[in-house]
């Protein structure tokens, strides 16, 4: 990628010549493929490519930013002038700065050549096998709405005027399926998803059966009387709650007084069984990279350990405000945006119990398989009230399916009431969780 980095370096040097004290060029190239089949036939075959350069400058302690998808020299020259001009419209802040270079970055295996070596026909066959396995699982699977194979690759390069010059290449692949099971006029949906960095790890038969099993097990579901019971959260559901937790554990949210964890470092905020980690250098992680969106090395940050809040995630700006070091969490969605503070591979560390043990040790409760409306939860107070479906637990066994219910509470109360953590950590994109059991949650029909 040396030629591409030269483009970013030229943009940085041009910005410096126009008066910027510091400048940073972030350049990326991306490609993705999506294959969807229906009834064994290809319904969608889509490829997309994107490239571009984002230029961030600091002039008079003010930040300016501009981006382009046209990498011709004359366009990049205009980009530098625009970024410097934009800085004049922002407020000065002594914490605006760029990171200095480091001796080395983590060495990660992010690029599986088998993903790109596989033919399009092989990928189509994988989507067909996905759909076929779901249909063959049970005669009540009547419609497969989506059966898709998806892959992509990305090249990222970053240069700044302090001496950082780094790049990496990555690729991923995955399967997704959603379907409907019907019986006696009743319909229930099911889905399954699996993304990985290794092509050989994809198992379309397993993923197809998982989606079908989820739909079929909910046939005959009915509501439940209002009560407070222990709940066992499936990994997918527990990972959904992490989506509420993640933003609150960023230093940016704390500094803007938008975090329910503000002022609680060193305090107990969860059950002693709970340890929450963010690891941007985790082997095999979909969100892993050797450096973040600013060129800071990624790494492992323990945020909650044994229930005790340890600290927050930082980028260079928030770290400067606190007088600490960045945790390598200056995340960047693309070249079109500046780095924000965010999670990478964000997860609850697994415990020792199997999911079956957690259920078996619950005399009466609810096994929650899906929640709806998590986006309506309040990220500042932590209050939530979401629709849910699941399976009733009676005498330590899963019995009848339940739907049309609401579970409500506060994320801090939920964390403190966790009394069981499974050994089955599973990731869904950049968030992962094992099965967890919560001692008591309010459930209403």
């Amino acid at each position: 990628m040396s030629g591409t980095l030269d483009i970013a370096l030229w943009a940085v040097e041009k910005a410096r010549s126009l008066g910027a004290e510091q400048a940073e060029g972030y350049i990326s190239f991306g490609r993705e493929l999506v294959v969807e089949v229906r009834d064994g036939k290809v319904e969608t075959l889509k490829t997309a490519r994107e490239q571009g350069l984002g230029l961030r400058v600091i002039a008079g302690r003010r930040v300016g930013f501009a981006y382009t998808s046209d990498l011709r020299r004359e366009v990049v020259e205009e980009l530098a002038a625009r970024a410097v001009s934009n800085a004049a419209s922002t407020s000065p802040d002594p914490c605006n700065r760029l990171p200095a270079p480091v001796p080395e970055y983590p060495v990660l295996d992010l690029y599986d050549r088998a993903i790109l070596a596989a033919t399009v026909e092989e990928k189509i066959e994988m989507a067909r096998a996905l759909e076929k396995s779901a249909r063959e699982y049970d005669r009540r699977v009547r419609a497969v709405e989506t059966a898709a194979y998806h892959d992509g690759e990305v090249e990222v390069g970053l240069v700044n005027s302090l001496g950082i010059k780094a790049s990496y290449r990555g690729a991923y692949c995955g399967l997704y399926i959603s379907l409907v099971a019907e019986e006696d006029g009743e319909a229930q949906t099911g889905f399954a998803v699996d993304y990985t960095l290794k092509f050989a790890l994809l198992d379309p038969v397993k993923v197809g059966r998982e989606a079908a099993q989820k739909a079929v097990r909910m046939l005959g579901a009915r509501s439940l009387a209002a009560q407070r019971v222990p709940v066992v959260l499936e990994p997918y559901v527990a990972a959904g709650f992490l989506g509420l937790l993640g933003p609150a554990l960023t230093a940016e949210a704390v500094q803007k007084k938008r975090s329910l964890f503000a002022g609680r470092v060193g305090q107990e905020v969860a059950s002693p069984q709970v340890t929450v980690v963010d690891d941007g250098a985790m082997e095999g992680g979909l969100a892993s990279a050797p450096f973040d969106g600013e060129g800071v090395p990624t790494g492992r940050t323990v945020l909650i350990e044994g229930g005790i809040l340890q600290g927050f995630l930082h980028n260079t700006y928030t770290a400067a405000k606190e007088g600490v070091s960045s945790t390598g969490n200056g995340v960047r969605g693309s070249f079109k945006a500046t780095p924000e503070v965010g999670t990478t591979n964000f997860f609850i560390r697994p415990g020792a119990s199997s999911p079956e043990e957690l259920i078996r040790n619950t005399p009466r409760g609810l096994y929650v398989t899906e929640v709806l409306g998590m986006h309506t939860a309040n990220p500042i107070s932590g209050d939530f009230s979401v629709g849910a479906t699941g399976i009733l637990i009676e005498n330590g066994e899963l019995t009848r399916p339940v739907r049309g219910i609401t579970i409500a509470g506060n994320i801090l109360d939920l964390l403190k009431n966790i009394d069981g953590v499974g050994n089955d950590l599973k990731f869904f994109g950049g968030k992962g969780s094992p099965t967890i059991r919560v001692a008591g949650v309010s459930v209403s029909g």
Side-chain angles (χ1 to χ4, degrees), residues 343-406:
T343 59
T344 57
N345 301 299
F346 183 58
F347 62 97
I348 296 175
R349 194 171 66 189
S353 302
S354 69
E356 293 77 16
E357 286 174 317
L358 293 177
I359 294 169
R360 191 163 55 245
N361 294 329
T362 306
R364 180 175 175 81
L366 181 66
Y367 181 62
V368 180
T369 59
E370 188 175 359
V371 295
L372 304 170
M374 186 61 75
H375 64 282
T376 65
N378 188 319
I380 299 175
S381 69
D383 292 334
F384 64 87
S385 179
V386 294
T389 59
I391 303 172
L392 193 63
I393 302 173
E394 297 176 294
N395 299 318
E397 294 184 355
L398 298 178
T399 56
R400 69 174 179 86
V402 176
R403 66 174 178 178
I405 60 171
T406 298

Side-chain angles (χ1 to χ4, degrees), residues 9 98-102 105 158-166 294-296:
L9 182 60
L98 298 179
V102 295
Y105 291 108
L158 190 142
V159 172
N160 80 15
S161 56
L162 299 181
I164 289 180
K165 187 175 183 181
E294 302 182 286
V296 175

Side-chain angles (χ1 to χ4, degrees), residues 162-233:
L162 299 181
I164 289 180
K165 187 175 183 181
S167 65
Y168 70 88
R169 190 180 191 188
Y172 63 88
C173 56
L175 298 167
Y176 175 82
I177 183 168
S178 62
L179 50 81
V180 178
E182 295 181 7
E183 186 175 44
D184 298 330
E186 178 196 358
Q188 295 287 349
T189 60
F191 74 95
V193 60
D194 184 31
Y195 276 78
T196 176
L197 300 185
K198 298 293 184 182
F199 188 76
L201 295 180
L202 287 181
D203 186 343
V205 174
K206 179 182 176 182
V207 177
R209 288 174 176 171
E210 179 186 342
Q213 189 260 343
K214 285 181 176 180
V216 170
R217 73 184 179 185
M218 293 306 299
L219 290 169
R222 57 186 190 275
S223 192
L224 196 66
Q227 55 193 285
R228 185 173 176 82
V229 293
V231 298
V232 178
L233 304 180

